[in-house]
Amino acid sequence: MSQQTRFLLNESDIPRYWYNAVADSPVAPAPVLNPQTKEPVTPEFLSALFPMELIMQEVSSDRFIEIPEEVREIYKLYRPTPLMRATRLEKALGTPAHIYYKYEGASPSGSHKLNTAVPQAFYNKREGTKALTTETGAGQWGTALAISCSFFDMPLEVYMVKVSFNQKPYRRFLMEAYNAQVFASPTNLTHSGRSILAQDPDSPGSLGIAISEAVEVAALSNGQKKYSLGSVLNHVLTHQSVIGEEALKQMDMAGEYPDVVIGCVGGGSNFAGIAYPFLRENLRNGQRTRLLAVEPNATPSLTRGVYDFDYGDTAKMAPIVKMHTLGSDFIPAPIHAGGLRYHGMAPSLCSFYDQGLIEAVAVPQLATFEAGLLFAKTEGILPAPESSHAIRAAIDEALQAKENGEKRVILFNLSGHGNFDLSSYNAYLNGELVNYEFPEHQIQGIRDRLPMAQQAQVA
Amino acid sequence: MSQQTRFLLNESDIPRYWYNAVADSPVAPAPVLNPQTKEPVTPEFLSALFPMELIMQEVSSDRFIEIPEEVREIYKLYRPTPLMRATRLEKALGTPAHIYYKYEGASPSGSHKLNTAVPQAFYNKREGTKALTTETGAGQWGTALAISCSFFDMPLEVYMVKVSFNQKPYRRFLMEAYNAQVFASPTNLTHSGRSILAQDPDSPGSLGIAISEAVEVAALSNGQKKYSLGSVLNHVLTHQSVIGEEALKQMDMAGEYPDVVIGCVGGGSNFAGIAYPFLRENLRNGQRTRLLAVEPNATPSLTRGVYDFDYGDTAKMAPIVKMHTLGSDFIPAPIHAGGLRYHGMAPSLCSFYDQGLIEAVAVPQLATFEAGLLFAKTEGILPAPESSHAIRAAIDEALQAKENGEKRVILFNLSGHGNFDLSSYNAYLNGELVNYEFPEHQIQGIRDRLPMAQQAQVA
């Protein structure tokens, strides 16, 4: 009997609702604060950056949010995505575990990012936004938003971290093919960019700086341009829930239910996308699936950061949120999983982690490349280095199951392919990559540097 | 009512048989000739290059050839591939035509080439081959064979056209990630390579030269190594028939039948893959679908070449076949659709063209990039420059239908994505690409230079 490998759904199975996990949180979400006043943000403040519909989704306590028909029409280009059983990987590991993965990399943008890029472009278009601004690191997010903007005939400015801009010209060319304008950040087009360049003309840039630039351009545009973010915020995580909703149905087709669900985390959106619908089943329907977030040990915000209010960006222009953070001035080591090099983490995910509802583990760089290549050689797909963090953890779970002689059903999110990461793979194969120890000293005294430190001492 | 966009089949719909169109040809195939003796090849000659099962398939007159279960197991990683209705492209063109495309680019290798790479690696492994050799131009074929060889734990040597080796390092890194050894051809490892380098130490290489090198290494290995070819030969085209067999079922799901089926042609395999099953329906079941092969006007072997016996490679080591050819010494212009830069064409396809059973058109480079970008901006997927030749013709058919005010059902093969072709897109967007006129003088007197010219004069 041959084993079924791919579990495919029909167009009619594309979810009609996004799932907003905050609605099921036992703990109410912390307020989002204005970076200037440090008071809870007003809709006016947010509306300089986001269209009203996304602001409403950001603060919504509704469990389900209806997906507009126009968005579902575009989802049809690549959704539902396949759920795969990794039988060849299982065999290579000699494990009794069953390993499943949800593959988001066959979308036109090559990753899960399109799931939120499409509705963000759609709502902005509907509300009359004239252009969008955003940042991108490795380029997965910028590519997804560029494609979505081309669908809705919406101009897009992308502030791309300079080191990636130079190292990944093909990512830039790809965004330009969809008509996006791409700038190497820090630029001299913004106050934030110029102030960084004044201190360090050779600054390689960072996600934190690029966010500052994109936010500034939108904030100073008199409502003509809005800003679009690819992770961290709650509406972004909500949009990604289509991944987990489909996976629930597909695991049912496979006749199994996962013991553990795994995703990599940078800002948290692909992990939340696959895990939150399973979290709901834990909270509401008595399931006991472990939910495991995997971060690089070079930017271990969940496992090593502090849980407190912090800025989302370097120039302190983005809202202050309560999250596990390494500090908005944290400079991540140059790991090749560029999408995970962020100092903070989605507030909802941090709250669930703080409540003990999800687990986290940090893994070193070399072990993720080893896992990614084993996956490529057995399952065929070369994964993005970000996704290889999830693969590493899935393999470790499968090996543990082997050691224990126990069946374990593992599901992970293969959030993207590695077609634009080949210089990284080449460096790994040439022995040029290293592991990074977490720079302990960088977070010493961090609490005193947090935006609410003074207030906390007063209170 | 929302229009259905994707037509998906289940694993059980993966074809169980390949279709060998030669069995239905009204004209018997011309013999394949030994390049030294110019007599019909013997099994001994071929067995230095290919495993016996593939030789049997090459000369088979069976209509259907059973797909081994081990091959179908790997097909399950990405097959059946989706059939898509390009509604957003239709709208952009304002055409009453219905445009469908079969998308082969979501396979782990990013193109249709895996369909034949998997069985070629499988049969070689089963017959005890110790290593495979092959050539690659743009890298789609080399990547597919590298992945397939990693599945079957088979070493692979890839002779990659030097200009591509230098211009497309990421393609090389990708093959190396799957453990293939990649050499810049011409190398100094072979007689063929050394003789080219002796004439021109800076030779950029060509597919014809790379084939000579790969063939030579296999031929001189005392049966240890065999050679693997990604197009042209009949067994390769037969393997690709899974594309068209699935598309027949999927068009049925869509409730339509194509008026025209379109594919780009270099060696002919992706076009044959989608078109031959529809040719069978024309020949045996009274359908009248037009089958349209699209070639670059820089290498117009079907529309401008001569139909006669010619060598498959530059060093005249590969078998002589009857085909439409520009001459084995033809040097194609440096168009960016590297996979189409070949002087000849699959013999079976040439025979069908000669019989008037298929049509051909040649298109200029700039029009294909324009078409590819329009496709990307409407349908999301950035196509390979090779596939953009099919898109160009599909758009032209749709525009003609618009002009005539007629409904026309168009199906084309989107054989691969363009993730490794971004320097080409960037060059196009910067206005650096040009059209090439066909170098008429290169084929003047070609008949006198063909291998059988002397024999023909004698006869």
Side-chain angles (χ1 to χ4, degrees):
Chain A
M1 242 313 279
S2 87
Q3 176 63 53
Q4 191 172 355
T5 300
R6 281 211 301 178
F7 301 88
L8 297 177
L9 298 169
N10 295 315
E11 265 184 17
S12 57
D13 295 308
I14 295 174
R16 297 187 177 275
Y17 295 88
W18 290 303
Y19 170 57
N20 172 26
V22 167
D24 284 325
S25 177
V27 172
V32 173
L33 307 181
N34 182 310
Q36 280 95 50
T37 65
K38 299 178 185 172
E39 297 292 325
V41 288
T42 59
E44 289 72 39
F45 173 83
L46 290 176
S47 70
L49 300 182
F50 304 106
M52 197 45 67
E53 176 62 31
L54 292 177
I55 295 172
M56 300 306 292
Q57 291 183 10
E58 186 63 23
V59 299
S60 174
S61 56
D62 293 344
R63 181 168 292 122
F64 292 104
I65 294 170
E66 192 168 5
I67 304 176
E69 202 44 43
E70 294 87 340
V71 171
R72 290 185 82 248
E73 280 298 314
I74 296 180
Y75 279 172
K76 288 181 183 177
L77 293 175
Y78 66 100
R79 303 211 72 84
T81 61
L83 180 87
M84 309 281 298
R85 168 104 182 257
T87 44
R88 300 175 56 86
L89 175 61
E90 291 170 15
K91 207 172 291 175
L93 297 172
T95 178
H98 290 187
I99 306 175
Y100 293 86
Y101 62 97
K102 180 76 169 158
Y103 185 42
E104 293 289 307
S107 86
S109 79
S111 82
H112 67 293
K113 294 287 188 185
L114 213 48
N115 299 329
T116 183
V118 172
Q120 290 194 45
F122 166 73
Y123 290 123
N124 272 289
K125 186 73 180 183
R126 200 174 64 177
E127 297 188 24
T129 304
K130 296 289 179 265
L132 283 177
T133 72
T134 198
E135 75 292 330
T136 201
Q140 286 191 345
W141 167 243
T143 301
L145 195 60
I147 295 176
S148 300
C149 283
S150 86
F151 288 157
F152 292 103
D153 207 11
M154 166 82 75
L156 171 65
E157 297 174 19
V158 181
Y159 293 82
M160 185 173 188
V161 177
K162 191 178 275 174
V163 59
S164 297
F165 183 95
N166 292 328
Q167 281 177 0
K168 298 199 166 191
Y170 289 3
R171 267 291 181 193
R172 170 161 65 91
F173 299 161
L174 183 56
M175 292 182 266
E176 289 172 347
Y178 294 96
N179 281 0
Q181 272 193 290
V182 187
F183 305 104
S185 166
T187 72
N188 55 17
L189 303 171
T190 66
H191 299 292
S192 331
R194 285 190 295 270
S195 86
I196 297 285
L197 291 173
Q199 295 161 38
D200 177 8
D202 298 323
S203 167
S206 74
L207 267 180
I209 295 168
I211 293 174
S212 296
E213 293 207 274
V215 165
E216 179 184 323
V217 170
L220 301 181
S221 73
N222 288 318
Q224 297 297 294
K225 301 177 183 178
K226 305 269 178 181
Y227 167 68
S228 186
L229 186 65
S231 191
V232 180
L233 295 176
N234 198 50
H235 66 270
V236 179
L237 274 61
T238 296
H239 297 159
Q240 293 294 355
S241 65
V242 291
I243 303 171
E245 297 290 2
E246 289 176 8
L248 270 167
K249 286 191 194 179
Q250 288 164 310
M251 288 303 303
D252 198 50
M253 288 171 75
E256 304 212 82
Y257 197 86
D259 296 307
V260 56
V261 173
I262 300 169
C264 65
V265 286
S269 77
N270 94 77
F271 170 76
I274 196 162
Y276 281 5
F278 289 92
L279 175 63
R280 177 186 65 220
E281 300 307 306
N282 284 357
L283 291 171
R284 297 178 60 85
N285 295 319
Q287 296 288 358
R288 301 183 58 176
T289 299
R290 293 168 47 223
L291 307 171
L292 179 59
V294 190
E295 58 188 11
N297 73 354
T299 55
S301 44
L302 285 175
T303 55
R304 304 294 290 279
V306 300
Y307 184 42
D308 209 332
F309 286 92
D310 199 3
Y311 299 101
D313 69 329
T314 303
K316 307 179 180 179
M317 300 194 61
I320 295 170
V321 294
K322 189 173 181 190
M323 61 182 174
H324 288 79
T325 178
L326 303 166
S328 64
D329 55 355
F330 183 82
I331 297 165
I335 56 168
H336 286 250
L340 309 184
R341 294 178 69 235
Y342 184 63
H343 67 277
M345 187 60 66
S348 68
L349 203 155
C350 292
S351 171
F352 290 130
Y353 180 62
D354 191 57
Q355 296 172 61
L357 299 175
I358 65 171
E359 304 171 22
V361 64
V363 295
Q365 173 161 273
L366 296 180
T368 64
F369 274 88
E370 180 196 36
L373 281 172
L374 175 60
F375 185 82
K377 285 171 193 162
T378 51
E379 297 294 317
I381 299 164
L382 191 80
E386 291 83 359
S387 311
S388 292
H389 287 68
I391 298 174
R392 177 72 261 167
I395 288 175
D396 290 343
E397 289 280 335
L399 292 175
Q400 200 177 62
K402 179 184 181 179
E403 204 176 298
N404 299 354
E406 101 197 31
K407 199 193 150 199
R408 192 177 295 188
V409 179
I410 299 164
L411 167 63
F412 73 89
N413 191 11
L414 186 59
S415 55
H417 64 59
N419 284 357
F420 293 97
D421 303 286
L422 281 154
S423 58
S424 303
Y425 277 101
N426 185 55
Y428 173 76
L429 290 170
N430 289 340
E432 293 160 15
L433 298 196
V434 296
N435 283 328
Y436 295 96
E437 295 304 311
F438 175 64
E440 201 69 49
H441 66 278
Q442 274 202 56
I443 58 162
Q444 273 165 17
I446 179 178
R447 285 193 183 275
D448 296 334
R449 301 196 302 276
L450 293 177
M452 303 303 286
Q454 212 177 356
Q455 280 85 336
Q457 281 160 15
V458 174
Chain B
M1 240 314 278
S2 87
Q3 176 63 53
Q4 191 172 354
T5 300
R6 282 211 299 179
F7 301 89
L8 297 177
L9 298 169
N10 294 314
E11 266 185 18
S12 57
D13 295 308
I14 295 173
R16 297 187 176 276
Y17 296 88
W18 291 303
Y19 170 58
N20 173 25
V22 167
D24 283 324
S25 177
V27 172
V32 173
L33 307 180
N34 182 310
Q36 280 94 50
T37 66
K38 298 178 184 172
E39 298 291 325
V41 287
T42 59
E44 290 72 40
F45 173 83
L46 290 177
S47 70
L49 300 182
F50 304 106
M52 198 46 67
E53 176 62 32
L54 292 177
I55 296 171
M56 299 307 291
Q57 291 183 9
E58 187 62 23
V59 299
S60 174
S61 55
D62 292 345
R63 181 169 291 120
F64 293 103
I65 293 170
E66 191 168 4
I67 304 177
E69 202 45 43
E70 294 88 340
V71 172
R72 290 185 82 249
E73 281 296 316
I74 296 180
Y75 279 173
K76 289 181 183 176
L77 293 176
Y78 66 101
R79 304 211 71 83
T81 60
L83 180 87
M84 310 281 298
R85 167 104 182 257
T87 45
R88 300 175 55 87
L89 175 61
E90 291 170 15
K91 207 172 292 176
L93 298 172
T95 178
H98 290 187
I99 306 175
Y100 293 87
Y101 62 96
K102 180 77 168 158
Y103 185 42
E104 294 288 307
S107 88
S109 79
S111 82
H112 66 294
K113 293 287 187 187
L114 212 48
N115 299 331
T116 184
V118 172
Q120 290 194 46
F122 166 73
Y123 291 124
N124 272 289
K125 185 72 180 185
R126 199 174 64 177
E127 296 188 25
T129 303
K130 297 287 180 266
L132 284 177
T133 70
T134 198
E135 75 291 331
T136 202
Q140 287 191 346
W141 167 242
T143 301
L145 194 60
I147 295 176
S148 300
C149 283
S150 87
F151 288 157
F152 292 104
D153 207 12
M154 167 83 75
L156 171 65
E157 296 173 21
V158 181
Y159 294 83
M160 185 173 188
V161 177
K162 192 180 277 175
V163 59
S164 297
F165 183 94
N166 291 328
Q167 281 176 0
K168 298 198 168 194
Y170 288 4
R171 268 290 182 193
R172 169 162 64 91
F173 298 161
L174 182 56
M175 291 182 265
E176 289 172 347
Y178 294 96
N179 281 1
Q181 271 193 292
V182 187
F183 305 103
S185 167
T187 72
N188 56 17
L189 302 171
T190 66
H191 300 292
S192 331
R194 284 190 295 271
S195 86
I196 296 285
L197 290 173
Q199 293 162 39
D200 176 8
D202 297 322
S203 166
S206 74
L207 268 179
I209 295 168
I211 293 173
S212 296
E213 293 207 274
V215 165
E216 179 185 323
V217 170
L220 301 181
S221 72
N222 289 318
Q224 298 295 296
K225 301 177 184 178
K226 304 272 179 181
Y227 167 70
S228 187
L229 186 65
S231 191
V232 180
L233 294 176
N234 197 51
H235 66 270
V236 179
L237 275 60
T238 295
H239 297 158
Q240 293 293 355
S241 66
V242 290
I243 303 171
E245 296 291 3
E246 289 176 6
L248 270 166
K249 286 192 193 179
Q250 289 164 310
M251 289 303 303
D252 198 50
M253 290 170 74
E256 305 212 82
Y257 197 87
D259 296 306
V260 56
V261 172
I262 301 169
C264 65
V265 286
S269 76
N270 93 77
F271 169 77
I274 196 161
Y276 281 4
F278 289 92
L279 174 63
R280 176 187 65 221
E281 300 307 305
N282 285 357
L283 291 170
R284 297 178 62 84
N285 295 319
Q287 296 287 358
R288 301 181 59 176
T289 298
R290 293 168 48 224
L291 307 171
L292 178 59
V294 189
E295 58 188 11
N297 72 353
T299 55
S301 43
L302 285 175
T303 53
R304 305 294 289 279
V306 299
Y307 185 42
D308 209 331
F309 286 91
D310 198 4
Y311 299 101
D313 68 328
T314 303
K316 306 178 180 179
M317 300 194 62
I320 295 170
V321 294
K322 189 173 181 189
M323 60 182 174
H324 288 79
T325 179
L326 303 166
S328 65
D329 54 356
F330 182 82
I331 297 165
I335 56 166
H336 286 251
L340 308 184
R341 295 179 69 235
Y342 184 63
H343 67 277
M345 188 59 67
S348 67
L349 202 155
C350 293
S351 171
F352 290 130
Y353 180 63
D354 191 57
Q355 295 172 61
L357 299 174
I358 65 172
E359 305 171 21
V361 64
V363 294
Q365 173 161 274
L366 296 181
T368 64
F369 275 88
E370 180 196 36
L373 282 172
L374 175 60
F375 185 82
K377 285 171 194 162
T378 51
E379 296 294 318
I381 299 163
L382 191 81
E386 290 84 359
S387 311
S388 292
H389 286 68
I391 297 173
R392 176 73 262 166
I395 288 175
D396 290 343
E397 290 279 336
L399 291 175
Q400 201 176 63
K402 178 183 181 180
E403 203 176 299
N404 299 354
E406 100 195 32
K407 198 191 149 200
R408 192 178 293 189
V409 179
I410 300 165
L411 167 64
F412 72 88
N413 191 11
L414 185 60
S415 56
H417 65 60
N419 285 356
F420 294 97
D421 302 287
L422 281 155
S423 58
S424 303
Y425 277 99
N426 185 55
Y428 173 76
L429 290 170
N430 290 340
E432 294 161 14
L433 298 195
V434 296
N435 282 327
Y436 295 95
E437 295 302 313
F438 175 63
E440 200 68 50
H441 66 278
Q442 274 203 57
I443 58 162
Q444 273 165 18
I446 180 179
R447 285 193 182 276
D448 296 334
R449 303 197 301 276
L450 292 177
M452 302 303 286
Q454 212 178 356
Q455 280 85 337
Q457 281 159 14
V458 173

